[in-house]
């Protein structure tokens, strides 16, 4: 009975000795597919890539000294894959064994599982429309009381930002991320997650995606300005001020036109009122000062059998009784009294 534990101890020591790290071997590379951030309930494949003479690959959890799984290399024998159906959030690394010993462990892989908490809200301040070459502030907030928010940019670069949360006046927790400079060379789509420091690999559900709209020149980032500071940001207020001034000028012109029309009509009514209605049977005498300016003609007499006929001749005739007579020195003076002079007898 005492020989078996001794043999097991000897085998273990031999196994550890045969897997001593060899500084000549390159470190393996580790990655996850479809990515290191996996929704809860999904599966993931972890790859470990070493050299062509690798004999086997082992996957480790950072908190454990024994391998979680060991796989034979796939052709061309420089890598192996580890399929994980039940995902456990944590930190992983891998090693490989070759005829000359064991490699150093790879860089660590942070495997994150999402969906543990309700999703936060992501918004752009002041709006998702950003001038090319400028910066934008993205706000992530939630009622869950998270201690940290992480902002991720979708795409091949997999950029992320992490900030501690702060309480706002409404009782929510929030974080403000400054992102930039923004250019139009590719899409800028973001999501944010919340988590607690005690469980850094267990995130909330992702926020709804937020895509920025880039305005301005098409292309990469704008070069730094070499001249005076541009006033393009003031263009919108200047356009509004110009529109208001134009509207005021038009309104003032309309008021002047209406005032002119009113005064013109008032002067016309005053001129009509100045002409007194003659009494029946009386004649209209012209101003003596006007008489010398007119050509001298013998006086003419007009018969108006009724006021109805006079109303057809003048727009504002005085009232005459039937068969009244009007004595005028000439047709010109009659034209001043009537728009359409009567037929001379």
């Amino acid at each position: 009975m005492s020989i078996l534990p001794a043999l097991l101890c000897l085998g273990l020591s031999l196994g550890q000795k045969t897997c001593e790290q060899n500084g000549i071997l390159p470190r393996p590379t580790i990655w996850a597919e479809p990515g290191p951030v996996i929704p809860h309930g999904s599966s993931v494949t972890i790859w470990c890539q070493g050299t062509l003479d690798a004999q086997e690959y082992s996957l480790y959890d950072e908190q454990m000294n024994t391998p979680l799984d060991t796989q034979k290399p796939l052709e061309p024998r420089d890598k192996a894959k580890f399929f994980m159906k039940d995902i456990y959030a944590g930190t992983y690394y891998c090693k490989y064994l070759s005829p000359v010993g064991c490699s150093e462990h790879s860089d660590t892989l942070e495997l994150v599982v999402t969906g543990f908490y309700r999703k936060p809200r992501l918004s752009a301040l002041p709006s998702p429309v950003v001038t090319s070459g400028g910066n934008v502030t993205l706000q992530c907030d939630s009622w869950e009381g998270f201690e940290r928010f992480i902002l991720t940019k979708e795409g091949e670069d997999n950029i992320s930002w992490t900030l501690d949360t702060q309480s706002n006046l409404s009782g929510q927790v929030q974080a403000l991320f400054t992102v930039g400079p923004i250019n139009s060379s590719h899409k800028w789509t973001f999501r944010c997650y919340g988590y607690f420091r005690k469980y850094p690999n267990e995130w909330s559900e992702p926020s709804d995606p937020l895509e920025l709209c880039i305005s301005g020149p098409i292309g990469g980032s704008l070069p730094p300005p070499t001249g005076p500071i541009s006033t393009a940001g003031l263009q919108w207020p200047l356009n509004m001020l110009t529109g208001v001034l134009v509207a005021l000028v038009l309104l003032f012109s309309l008021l002047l036109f209406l005032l002119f029309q009113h005064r013109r009509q008032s002067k016309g009514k005053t001129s009509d009122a100045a002409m007194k209605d003659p009494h029946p049977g009386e004649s209209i005498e012209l101003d003596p000062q006007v008489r010398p300016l007119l050509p001298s003609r013998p006086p003419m007499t007009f018969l108006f059998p009724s006021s109805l006929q006079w109303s057809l001749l003048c727009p504002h005739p005085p009232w005459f009784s039937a068969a009244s007579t009007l004595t005028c020195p000439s047709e010109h003076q009659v034209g001043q009294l009537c728009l359409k002079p009567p037929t001379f007898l």
Side-chain angles (χ1 to χ4, degrees), residues 37-203:
V37 181
I38 307 297
H40 190 272
S42 302
S43 59
V44 64
T45 299
I46 298 179
W47 288 88
C48 186
Q49 184 174 15
T51 60
L52 294 175
D53 59 351
Q55 297 175 339
E56 64 181 22
Y57 290 85
S58 299
L59 180 66
Y60 293 82
D61 189 323
E62 192 178 43
Q63 298 179 353
M64 302 175 61
N65 293 326
T66 57
L68 297 175
D69 192 9
T70 300
Q71 295 288 335
K72 294 296 182 179
L74 302 175
E75 294 297 335
R77 303 187 62 84
D78 65 336
K79 59 185 175 182
K81 68 176 182 179
F82 304 89
F83 180 75
M84 300 178 64
K85 184 177 181 180
D86 298 324
I87 307 175
Y88 296 96
T91 305
Y92 298 87
Y93 64 89
C94 68
K95 293 180 180 182
Y96 65 91
L97 175 64
S98 72
V100 296
C102 283
S103 68
E104 298 181 3
H105 65 75
S106 66
D107 293 333
T108 57
L109 171 67
E110 296 289 341
L111 197 60
V112 175
V113 180
T114 66
F116 285 92
Y117 317 99
R118 289 183 297 179
K119 64 181 179 181
R121 184 185 63 172
L122 181 62
S123 58
L125 303 178
S127 75
V129 180
V130 185
T131 304
S132 180
N135 297 335
V136 64
T137 299
L138 303 182
Q139 175 177 300
C140 188
D141 54 59
S142 174
W143 293 98
E144 291 291 328
F146 297 120
E147 295 175 329
R148 284 185 175 178
F149 281 120
I150 182 167
L151 178 71
T152 62
K153 177 182 177 297
E154 297 183 358
E156 298 179 356
D157 42 10
N158 292 325
I159 304 175
S160 63
W161 300 262
T162 304
L163 287 177
D164 293 337
T165 61
Q166 296 179 349
S167 299
N168 56 24
L169 297 178
S170 63
Q172 293 179 312
V173 291
Q174 68 177 25
L176 300 177
F177 298 87
T178 301
V179 181
I182 305 297
N183 57 64
S184 55
S185 59
H186 51 85
K187 285 188 175 181
W188 293 77
T189 304
F190 298 89
R191 294 178 184 266
C192 73
Y193 304 81
Y195 67 92
F196 297 92
R197 290 189 183 93
K198 188 176 181 180
Y199 307 102
N201 296 83
E202 297 178 359
W203 293 1

Side-chain angles (χ1 to χ4, degrees), residues 20 70 81 106 253 282 308:
E20 291 181 354
T70 300
K81 68 176 182 179
S106 66
S253 301
E282 294 182 356
L308 176 61

Side-chain angles (χ1 to χ4, degrees), residues 222-230:
L222 295 178
T226 56
I229 298 177
S230 173

Side-chain angles (χ1 to χ4, degrees), residues 200-267:
N201 296 83
E202 297 178 359
W203 293 1
S204 67
E205 294 179 351
S207 67
D208 294 332
L210 175 64
E211 182 174 354
L212 300 180
C213 299
I214 314 301
S215 64
I218 300 176
S221 302
L222 295 178
T226 56
I229 298 177
S230 173
T231 59
L234 300 177
Q235 190 64 36
W236 181 81
L238 290 177
N239 291 339
M240 176 176 288
L241 181 60
T242 303
V244 172
L245 291 177
V246 171
L248 290 177
V249 170
L250 293 176
L251 181 60
F252 183 71
S253 301
L254 179 60
L255 290 176
L256 287 179
F257 175 76
L258 294 177
L259 181 61
F260 176 77
Q261 289 292 102
H262 178 71
R263 295 187 62 181
R264 186 175 182 182
Q265 292 177 1
S266 299
K267 181 180 291 187

